[in-house]
Amino acid sequence: MRILIASPLGHVVAKPLESSFDDVVVTVAADQDEFVHGVARRVRFDVVAADLIWNRPTMEWMFDGLDAIDALRHADRLAPVLLATQ
C-alpha cells in the first residue's frame, strides 16, 4: 500500500502508520513543492491523507487539502483523499 501524507506535521503521522501495516510505503509531503514533486514522480498512491488547512503561517492561504486534490487531478494521479481537520 502506498500512502501519501500531505501535511506540515506529516512525519508525526507517518511512523504510527508504518508500524501499523505490513508492506506499506508512507511518503510525507510537508509543503506544496514536496507534494507536487511526490505526486509527479511516483505511480498512483493508494490513498492520500491531507490537512484541509495547513497550519503554517507562510502557507496557510496558499496551499491546502483542496489544492492537493486539484494537484492530483492535474497530474492525472487520482486517488482516494482523506481530508483531516483539527
Side-chain angles (χ1 to χ4, degrees), residues 4-60:
L4 174 60
I5 306 296
S7 169
L9 300 174
H11 293 286
V12 174
V13 177
K15 293 289 184 192
L17 281 174
E18 290 170 335
S19 64
S20 296
F21 297 100
D22 294 330
D23 298 326
V24 67
V25 175
V26 178
T27 302
V28 175
D31 61 33
Q32 180 178 3
D33 289 337
E34 287 181 6
F35 183 84
V36 171
H37 287 101
V39 167
R41 290 188 297 214
R42 294 202 175 252
V43 297
R44 295 179 200 278
F45 288 94
D46 295 305
V47 66
V48 176
D51 272 347
L52 180 58
I53 299 173
W54 291 37
N55 291 330
R56 183 178 283 174
T58 59
M59 294 180 56
E60 189 165 352

Side-chain angles (χ1 to χ4, degrees), residues 45-84:
F45 288 94
D46 295 305
V47 66
V48 176
D51 272 347
L52 180 58
I53 299 173
W54 291 37
N55 291 330
R56 183 178 283 174
T58 59
M59 294 180 56
E60 189 165 352
W61 303 110
M62 296 173 48
F63 189 78
D64 61 25
L66 298 178
D67 294 315
I69 294 170
D70 284 341
L72 288 167
R73 186 177 46 81
H74 180 71
D76 194 26
R77 298 284 196 266
L78 295 178
V81 177
L82 305 169
L83 292 176

